[in-house]
Amino acid sequence: MTEITAPKSSLTSGEFTDEIREQLKYTQGVTPEQATAADVYVATAAAVRRHLVDSWMKTQHDMVNGDTKAVGYLSAEFLMGKQLENALLNAGLTEQFEGAMKELGFDTKDVIDAEYEPGLGNGGLGRLAACYIDSLASIGVPAFGYGIRYQYGIFKQEFDENGKQVETPDYWLVNEEPWGHVDYNRDQRVNFGGEVVEENGKRVWKPAWAVRAVPCDYMVPGYKSGRVNTLRLWTAKSYDEFDLLTFNKSDYLDAVIPKVEAENISKILYPEDSTPQGKKLRLEQQYFFVSASIHDAIRVFYPGEKNPDLTTLPNKIVFQLNDTHPVIGIPELMRVLIDEYGYDWDTAWSITNKTFNYTCHTLLPEALEVWPASLIGELLPRHLEIIKKINEQFMSELKAKGVADDQIERMRIYTDGKDASVRMAYLATYGGSYVNGVAELHSELLKDVTLKDFSSVYPDKFTNVTNGVTPRRFIKLANPRMSDLISEGLGTDAWLSDLEQLKGLIPLADDPEFVKKFAAVKQANKNDFAAFAKRKYGFDIDPNTMFNTMIKRLHEYKRQALKILAVIATYADIKSGKVDPDTLVPRTVFFGAKAAPGYYLAKQTIQLINNVARVINNDPATKGKLHVYFPWNYNIELAQNLIPATDLDEQISQAGKEASGTGNMKFALNGALTVGTLDGANVEIRERVGAENFFLFGMTEPEVSALYAKGYDTKGLSREYYEKDPQLKQAIDMVADGTFSNGDKDTYKDLVNDWLNKDYFMTLADFRAYMDIQAEIEETYRDPMKWARMAVLNVANSGYFSSDRSIEDYLERIWHTGALK
Ligand code: 73E
């Protein structure tokens, strides 16, 4: 096998062992004999950090002193995953680590396991931010990730004895967290509330309270770039540890309340993916991290300057707004420039406009944030004034451009009247230079539907950047066997920083020896996953079945319901004798999904899946033929283990609803075949891997629109599909009749009611097409060489979906900057 030329530090294993010993002694205060795996994990983390620190400082120095513009990625979420293996890989210390663990007598797995996975994100949006900062560092572009260091990340999911989701708090900071560096000396003051008064002809904000924003810095090492960027996450601290005045009035508990309230701001991540709650605390969080970050950037790029020339700000940093969550940054920068630095409105507007860009991640109208003006006025009165003025300027600009009055009305950023509100997506679109969607179809729909009025007036603002995923974490670390085989096939491991090189595998799809090896890798990964699932969840999984996986947030539009109805239908056919189980391809179906705690139908779906799993897995009739597992608490670790073991990936959202998806990319890159609709990035994956290597089914977006126009959801048309299709009817009847609820007919009645009377996401309308494609999938799977060949071609043609390519697109189309020299 070709030697894998992993980035190697010149350090020997012995030297690295000594460094870990030193950390154990001086930081942990334990001898190697006393040390636990958790001690060794912390000591190793500290030792790796020391190897990155020089590159980190040099990168910061070059960023401030060079003439390369930096990127500030403003995001309410960064779903980083475990750090140790990634840091070792990028520091070139993987082999030394393995050697050191041997010397110290520890299993590498136990040490890696000791890290608690930080869950500072909900799903795709947060994980995308993590992939992007990895790629920025790997390409060598100076960048900051700016966000919040929530004390409680995404909740931990458990299932109760009825299969219901139970949420428990994720206090990820219970144990030592060795990666972050808290920097009390670089704090920022963030003001809130109060009023705006007129002083010497100027509007002056007199805030009522303030919070101290304290940064915690995480190194973001690039792969083989020698660059290390910074992820700066803010914690809210109180200025008033204790209110002496109140205390003197003898109320101790009341005296600590201001502290508790201030620190609440960074306490918890909102667990909604796609659906904003519009809560006051959420707006406080958004303003908190954005204000601190903007001030921080000015501090970094104009060090020690009392009167910096901020007209040069757009040459120093460009801020990318990750969805609408940080959009309050636009009025904030205006306020900073005008009120704090004395610029006139037009100059401030020109700077602001050049500094910001906006990525939209959704099409669901309910996901576009709209804040009540009263709430903004209460928390940020000066910002509300500025937003109103931006809106006035915008209206006049539109008028001057000859836009019709009714269109101007529709485009208002600030809507007047009793329920006055501020539309953050509109503010972002007008306030920044570029707006991008996250896959081609999504960007088209943004222009044609969601932001149509804007694209007609400002067509040049709109662009697309199709999402991507980092091949370091999601191929190299997640799937070392396949990575070795790829390097062997290509004769190099250079593909890891230039993923289009995977194309070199195309001829190998016709080399039976290679295809066999590829199939063997998949089988070994499946065996590994079965062992992992036994250890972690106690599941007894048969690795000699097709692994069929659907992992993503639980949302109606993603249609986990379609998958579970198909499983039930197959089960029913086996039970009724319609289908001889011996003719079926043995299959293990995996679900992984968290539901927002207040999302009722999503939680019912989880309960249903769990109970279908219970019934099927305990029924001798389906033994060895059909099994369903739902490992709880889906997270990055589970993704890294399950994706490389999967044969068939489910991307079955209703066409026009999933903006992009990024799981779809991870699966294709790990040699899973996709069953999917023409939605989000599925469209581009299929284009690249070839229609013959993708299992397409279901309505297209125009067909979906046409069916809505007929009144599908409003006239209850779904019931016609139910009446017409006996297999579908049978499956739904079984849910309704108590088969999966110990005979209780009420358990799923709301779910069933929704299917039969509304079914907004057209699960029933796509059911037949979905069942039909399953037959084709089975036939293909029966020919292992054919399947494996298709899988090879999926890998070979998916190099485009590297987040390195996405970042190159951002650099070229939006940021207009590049790597440090
Ligand atoms: O299609 C995914 C996309 O791949 C989309 O649903 C997701 O972003 C991914 C990355 O682009 C997304 N998340 C949110 N909106 N879109 C969201 C909204 C509010 C809170 C948290 C997340």
Side-chain angles (χ1 to χ4, degrees), residues 148-151 171 173 181-192 209-216 233-242 256-267 284 288-289 292:
I148 300 176
R149 190 172 187 248
Y150 303 102
Q151 277 177 43
Y171 189 60
L173 298 169
H181 169 75
V182 181
D183 189 347
Y184 287 97
N185 298 319
R186 282 163 192 73
D187 58 342
Q188 296 290 347
R189 186 182 186 89
V190 181
N191 293 317
F192 288 96
W209 52 285
V211 178
R212 183 178 178 210
V214 177
C216 183
L233 301 181
W234 300 97
T235 304
K237 296 270 178 195
S238 170
Y239 280 107
D240 327 286
E241 271 308 305
F242 201 71
V256 291
I257 281 176
K259 171 176 163 71
V260 171
E261 281 181 354
E263 300 190 351
N264 267 345
I265 289 184
S266 59
K267 191 72 68 188
E284 288 173 358
F288 164 75
F289 91 88

Side-chain angles (χ1 to χ4, degrees), residues 295-349:
H295 284 94
D296 184 69
I298 296 174
R299 179 189 64 76
V300 166
F301 287 101
Y302 303 90
E305 290 183 45
K306 270 227 142 44
N307 290 305
D309 175 10
L310 293 176
T311 60
T312 63
L313 186 68
N315 311 328
K316 309 239 181 220
I317 190 163
V318 53
F319 286 121
Q320 192 65 30
L321 301 165
N322 199 24
D323 217 76
T324 51
H325 320 147
V327 170
I328 195 72
I330 289 174
E332 170 66 355
L333 183 57
M334 288 296 285
R335 185 193 68 79
V336 169
L337 292 167
I338 296 168
D339 295 3
E340 295 182 9
Y341 289 95
Y343 289 92
D344 62 72
W345 177 274
D346 290 344
T347 307
W349 182 250

Side-chain angles (χ1 to χ4, degrees), residues 77 122 124-125 128 272-275 282 323 325 361-362 438 467 557 658-662:
E77 305 188 6
N122 273 286
L125 171 139
L128 187 77
E272 279 83 27
D273 184 87
S274 308
T275 37
R282 175 81 174 174
D323 217 76
H325 320 147
H361 290 265
T362 189
V438 289
N467 284 168
Y557 81 77
E658 188 70 270
S660 164
T662 44

Side-chain angles (χ1 to χ4, degrees), residues 521-533:
V521 162
K522 182 63 79 180
Q523 187 57 54
N525 291 344
K526 288 164 74 170
N527 298 346
D528 273 6
F529 184 77
F532 168 86

